[in-house]
């Protein structure tokens, strides 16, 4: 994942994939640095663990 997306997640307090399952994609896309590529990578990583974004 690109550094801007990593920084955006860290600044928002997200450090573990499990935390991302509690927020929606729309909420994450509001973070500066988050884009379609990063969202796709996160979606895939969550799916590998049997998780998904909140609705």
């Amino acid at each position: 994942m690109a550094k801007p997306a990593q920084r955006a997640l860290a600044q928002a307090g997200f450090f573990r994939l499990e935390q991302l399952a509690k927020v929606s994609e729309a909420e994450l896309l509001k973070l500066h640095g988050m884009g379609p590529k990063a969202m796709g990578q996160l979606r895939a990583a969550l799916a590998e663990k049997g998780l998904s974004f909140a609705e």
Side-chain angles (χ1 to χ4, degrees):
M1 184 178 310
K3 292 291 183 189
Q6 290 177 21
R7 284 191 296 269
L9 291 171
Q11 288 175 348
F14 297 110
F15 301 100
R16 300 179 51 82
L17 277 176
E18 291 79 11
Q19 292 174 292
L20 298 178
K22 297 176 183 175
V23 296
S24 69
E25 289 188 49
E27 290 177 79
L28 287 179
L29 282 170
K30 292 179 185 176
L31 300 176
H32 181 74
M34 293 301 295
K37 184 174 180 181
M39 293 304 296
Q41 292 171 328
L42 289 173
R43 200 176 301 113
L46 285 168
E48 284 182 22
K49 292 192 175 256
L51 302 170
S52 63
F53 291 111
E55 293 299 319

